Amino acid sequence: RLLLLLLRYLVVALGYHKAYGFSAPKDHQVVTAIEYQEVILACKSPKKTISSRLEWKKLGRSVSFVYYQQALQGDFKDRAEMIDFSIRIKNVTRTDAGKYRCEVSAPSEQGQNLEEDTVTLEVLVAPAVPTCEVPSSALSGTVVELRCQDKEGNPAPEYTWFKDGIPLSENAKLGSQSTNSSYTVNTKSGTLQFNTVSKLDSGEYSCEARNSVGHRRCPGKRMQVDDLNVSGIIAAVVVVALVISVCGLGVCYAQRKGYFS
């Protein structure tokens, strides 16, 4: 019995990392925070005592220490503080998202008692200015697709297209005199597609990305739709045909005169 007491004393005195006894995991927590605001990662554990040993770790492909040997680690030193067993992050960023685990060990009659609590931090991020692809010109009657995308928003944003500052509904309104009725809008992917674009579709287009945190809109870009110039094409074909005919006659004339051996 004396030897057992001595071993327990050495474990506590030397701060040996491995804990003996039993582990009491808690219910898994999910905490949601908005980027650049503050959040508290709470460790549900008994009251802190002098002999308690606390560690916070961020889990993933590799485990990194957040709080170790009574000090915050890494960049948490400058933007976090300890409140008993919990961590208050003053300026949370998207890179902080992930799974965290607090480990509290303390001596007990059965040995070294280890309690763990796991917290998942989800960071909500407002969309950035979306990237908008709008063709500057198009031919009437052709298929035209406009694209809008944001890669930063979390949760994934939904998209709204505007023509001349007026939002386009997800389903085209039949009989509209200000725009073509053959377009489709995909609010999830951010595409605006005209199955048969017309001159009525000429105008300035912009797109807005929106989620529960915020919204941003790209600058407007003008798309000009022109009719196919059939008479011009016919005239060009006639001119090309005449040029080819003249060249052919010239070659034949030169050959008869013996200019080609």
Side-chain angles (χ1 to χ4, degrees):
R1 182 176 178 83
L2 180 61
L3 181 60
L4 180 60
L5 291 173
L6 181 61
L7 287 173
R8 289 179 184 173
Y9 173 77
L10 288 174
V11 168
V12 175
L14 297 176
Y16 191 56
H17 181 70
K18 188 174 181 180
Y20 296 93
F22 64 92
S23 173
K26 305 289 183 179
D27 294 333
H28 185 81
Q29 305 176 61
V30 178
V31 178
T32 302
I34 298 175
E35 189 174 35
Y36 306 126
Q37 295 188 10
E38 72 173 43
V39 66
I40 293 178
L41 305 182
C43 183
K44 296 180 180 178
S45 179
K47 278 189 175 183
K48 190 176 182 180
T49 63
I50 297 175
S51 58
S52 296
R53 178 188 178 91
L54 172 66
E55 291 180 2
W56 271 94
K57 300 173 183 177
K58 185 177 182 183
L59 310 179
R61 292 183 178 178
S62 61
V63 178
S64 59
F65 281 102
V66 177
Y67 182 80
Y68 180 65
Q69 292 184 342
Q70 300 183 350
L72 289 161
Q73 305 295 312
D75 67 337
F76 287 99
K77 292 179 181 178
D78 302 322
R79 56 188 183 92
E81 64 179 359
M82 299 301 299
I83 305 176
D84 290 331
F85 287 168
S86 302
I87 298 178
R88 175 175 172 247
I89 305 175
K90 302 174 184 178
N91 187 20
V92 68
T93 67
R94 66 194 70 184
T95 58
D96 296 329
K99 186 178 290 186
Y100 294 79
R101 185 175 67 213
C102 72
E103 301 174 357
V104 181
S105 59
S108 67
E109 294 182 357
Q110 292 79 22
Q112 193 77 356
N113 179 26
L114 173 66
E115 295 197 23
E116 298 178 352
D117 195 15
T118 305
V119 183
T120 296
L121 174 61
E122 295 181 353
V123 180
L124 305 182
V125 182
V129 176
T131 301
C132 299
E133 298 180 17
V134 180
S136 58
S137 61
L139 290 177
S140 180
T142 60
V143 177
V144 177
E145 185 175 86
L146 284 64
R147 300 182 182 89
C148 178
Q149 189 177 32
D150 163 72
K151 295 183 179 179
E152 297 189 18
N154 181 40
E158 292 194 349
Y159 301 93
T160 302
W161 277 97
F162 295 79
K163 179 192 174 187
D164 298 328
I166 301 174
L168 297 176
S169 61
E170 190 170 351
N171 296 316
K173 296 179 181 179
L174 297 175
S176 173
Q177 297 182 359
S178 62
T179 189
N180 184 355
S181 62
S182 66
Y183 72 82
T184 55
V185 177
N186 190 322
T187 58
K188 302 295 183 182
S189 66
T191 58
L192 167 61
Q193 181 172 303
F194 294 94
N195 298 320
T196 52
V197 72
S198 74
K199 294 189 72 173
L200 288 174
D201 297 318
S202 295
E204 185 179 83
Y205 289 84
S206 60
C207 171
E208 181 181 88
R210 176 185 293 269
N211 64 9
S212 58
V213 186
H215 57 90
R216 299 292 295 274
R217 189 187 300 189
C218 68
K221 298 180 181 179
R222 180 165 182 82
M223 180 178 73
Q224 181 63 41
V225 181
D226 296 313
D227 289 330
L228 193 62
N229 191 345
V230 178
S231 59
I233 293 176
I234 293 174
V237 170
V238 170
V239 170
V240 171
L242 287 174
V243 171
I244 293 174
S245 299
V246 170
C247 291
L249 291 173
V251 170
C252 291
Y253 177 79
Q255 189 174 14
R256 289 181 181 178
K257 291 294 186 179
Y259 293 120
F260 298 109
S261 58

